[in-house]
Amino acid sequence: MSLNKKIINLAVPSIVSNITVPLLGLCDVVVMGHVGGARHIGAIAVGSMIFNVMYWLFGFLRMGTSGLTAQAFGGRRLQVAATMLRRGLLVALSVGLLIVLLQWPLRRLMFFLMQLTPEVAPLCASYYNICIWGAPAMLGLYVLMGWLIGMQNTRIPMLLAIGQNVVNISLSLVLVIGFGMEIRGVALGTMVAQWSTFLAGIALILRYYGRLLRRHPSRWRELRLGLARFFSINLDIFLRTVCLVAVNLYFTSAGAMQGAEILAANTLLLQFFMFFSYVMDGFAFAAEALAGRYLGANNQSMLKRTIRYVFGWGVIVATLFTLVYEFGGTTILRLLTTDADVVHTATGFMWWAVAVPFAGMAAFVWDGIFIGTLKTRGMLISCLVAALCFFLVYWWLFPVMQNHALWLAFIIYLLARGLVQTFISFRPFP
């Protein structure tokens, strides 16, 4: 199989999986929008954001597992690959259980930070109190997804993502409309979808990889000895994610401080970044799997070819998105909202959205390569530098450029991530 075909075979299912992710939150909002009021929609939005941020911070469970497994797969170290799955699940389920045990202080902290109104707080609490029980399943799913990507399999993650949406949408509709459970029905549908998908993932892994796992059992000593490296790699990814979350949350906050219309315009334009990220992440996942595989096999020539080829696909994707945004950006805005004033305001900043694909392409590709080759310290350094650039540019130029300063800071942040990673990549891969 040609390298381009391998990249596409890994990227396309990942892209489909990525596209299904926002449907989970959208489904909850749509259901509440038809049977509840503004309070219900607000509670769902806040509750979803709380869990999105929480789970995003634990995304290292997927990325760390993916890189380590891909290298073990490439080096035909199947014992290590089997141990990685068990070790990752042990950590994920332990952390998930800890979150469940600490749910009450966590809830108080989150609600304090969100400054919830008395109308929304009780409804959000109902949503939180049910969804929190899905934490072990969600973190376990991160490990399953990372392990499967490392094993060069992105089709099962795609099926799991689609299945999770089907269960969530179907059950939420039945519980809300059929049984009148309102926000509790949405939360229960989400939580059951998480657990059923996790259990389905375990069943599929046993179905297709059961023989490998039985041939390579893992003793407690093997699980314990690798924990230090596992946490060292994942600490870098965790801190890097904190930088990402800080920039994204501050971007929204800075827009809100400029008024509702600017906030709405920025929110719409950020969807252009999200659309691009869904596709580029698919190629980043392909880069994770293949870069880790060829590094594990000590095949430097194929590793370098993988980097060139994935960057080639990145240029193609960035070009297509740039053209679509340049010539169809206003049309997309009108599809996202019927508010003419918001569309007019957003159009004034549209050229920043057009710049996003080429500004961010290298960062996405290098992230995948660095995860696969376990250059996690480089990812952390690049995000720290980029986040620093973001805040400095915004605070320096905001008095003169207003919202344009926010978008310029965001574009520089994306460029800085890619440029710093390019510089780090000149160092030989381990």
Side-chain angles (χ1 to χ4, degrees):
M1 185 187 298
S2 70
L3 183 54
N4 272 324
K5 191 170 183 180
K6 289 179 182 177
I7 292 171
I8 291 297
N9 284 347
L10 289 167
V12 171
S14 296
I15 293 169
V16 174
S17 300
N18 292 339
I19 292 172
T20 66
V21 171
L23 292 179
L24 284 170
L26 180 61
C27 165
D28 293 347
V29 171
V30 169
V31 172
M32 279 294 95
H34 283 81
V35 301
R39 295 183 305 122
H40 294 76
I41 295 174
I44 287 290
V46 173
S48 297
M49 185 164 64
I50 288 173
F51 285 103
N52 286 342
V53 171
M54 184 189 304
Y55 293 143
W56 197 7
L57 289 173
F58 288 102
F60 63 80
L61 289 169
R62 186 202 67 77
M63 290 181 274
T65 302
S66 172
L68 289 165
T69 303
Q71 291 195 20
F73 178 85
R76 307 308 298 167
R77 300 188 302 275
L78 299 183
Q79 174 67 57
V80 175
T83 300
M84 273 307 309
L85 175 62
R86 297 186 179 103
R87 182 186 297 132
L89 286 175
L90 175 65
V91 172
L93 295 176
S94 299
V95 172
L97 179 60
L98 185 62
I99 290 173
V100 170
L101 292 174
L102 297 175
Q103 60 181 283
W104 305 118
L106 281 174
R107 191 183 81 175
R108 293 191 66 177
L109 174 63
M110 293 292 187
F111 282 24
F112 171 77
L113 294 174
M114 299 299 297
Q115 295 292 299
L116 299 181
T117 63
E119 294 84 7
V120 171
L123 292 171
C124 192
S126 296
Y127 182 85
Y128 174 94
N129 292 343
I130 294 173
C131 282
I132 195 70
W133 292 92
M138 277 302 296
L139 299 185
L141 265 173
Y142 281 179
V143 172
L144 298 187
M145 299 293 193
W147 191 79
L148 287 164
I149 291 171
M151 296 295 288
Q152 318 295 295
N153 185 333
T154 55
R155 283 186 169 81
I156 292 179
M158 177 185 69
L159 294 175
L160 292 175
I162 294 172
Q164 186 176 6
N165 276 280
V166 170
V167 173
N168 181 54
I169 293 171
S170 304
L171 192 56
S172 294
L173 288 172
V174 170
L175 293 175
V176 174
I177 298 175
F179 291 87
M181 293 181 67
E182 294 188 343
I183 200 165
R184 291 179 297 112
V186 169
L188 189 58
T190 299
M191 190 265 288
V192 171
Q194 291 166 345
W195 274 106
S196 61
T197 307
F198 173 65
L199 295 175
I202 293 290
L204 286 170
I205 283 178
L206 291 176
R207 167 71 176 81
Y208 291 102
Y209 299 97
R211 181 179 298 179
L212 180 151
L213 296 172
R214 286 191 297 271
R215 283 183 177 177
H216 302 283
S218 304
R219 298 182 179 85
W220 170 247
R221 182 173 178 273
E222 293 171 326
L223 294 174
R224 180 174 52 82
L225 287 178
L227 281 175
R229 187 185 185 209
F230 185 80
F231 282 117
S232 173
I233 291 168
N234 287 333
L235 178 62
D236 290 336
I237 299 175
F238 173 79
L239 293 174
R240 169 252 190 191
T241 305
V242 170
C243 293
L244 294 179
V245 171
V247 169
N248 281 275
L249 290 182
Y250 192 84
F251 187 98
T252 301
S253 174
M257 289 188 290
Q258 298 177 69
E261 198 162 290
I262 290 293
L263 173 61
N266 284 350
T267 300
L268 292 182
L269 291 172
L270 268 182
Q271 301 311 305
F272 287 71
F273 171 70
M274 297 306 296
F275 297 151
F276 174 69
S277 72
Y278 297 148
V279 176
M280 277 310 306
D281 264 338
F283 287 96
F285 289 174
E288 288 178 32
L290 293 172
R293 174 181 178 177
Y294 293 129
L295 181 63
N298 198 27
N299 191 335
Q300 290 291 325
S301 64
M302 284 301 293
L303 174 59
K304 291 175 181 177
R305 281 186 66 198
T306 297
I307 295 171
R308 290 199 307 272
Y309 278 42
V310 176
F311 262 102
W313 282 106
V315 170
I316 292 171
V317 171
T319 301
L320 291 175
F321 272 89
T322 300
L323 292 173
V324 170
Y325 291 170
E326 173 65 29
F327 296 106
T330 304
T331 302
I332 295 172
L333 286 173
R334 292 197 182 106
L335 291 174
L336 293 174
T337 182
T338 56
D339 190 319
D341 290 335
V342 173
V343 171
H344 177 73
T345 302
T347 302
F349 301 100
M350 187 66 217
W351 56 293
W352 293 113
V354 174
V356 160
F358 272 102
M361 181 271 293
F364 280 95
V365 175
W366 280 127
D367 276 353
I369 293 164
F370 277 30
I371 289 169
T373 57
L374 300 180
K375 276 196 167 187
T376 54
R377 185 59 51 85
M379 293 174 63
L380 172 58
I381 292 170
S382 68
C383 263
L384 282 171
V385 172
L388 182 62
C389 290
F390 171 84
F391 288 110
L392 288 176
V393 169
Y394 173 72
W395 291 331
W396 181 34
L397 294 178
F398 179 76
V400 179
M401 297 178 64
Q402 301 298 307
N403 196 52
H404 285 289
L406 182 61
W407 277 100
L408 175 61
F410 188 68
I411 294 297
I412 289 176
Y413 156 79
L414 293 175
L415 284 169
R417 281 175 56 193
L419 289 172
V420 173
Q421 286 172 305
T422 301
F423 175 78
I424 293 173
S425 72
F426 288 129
R427 296 175 59 189
F429 286 93

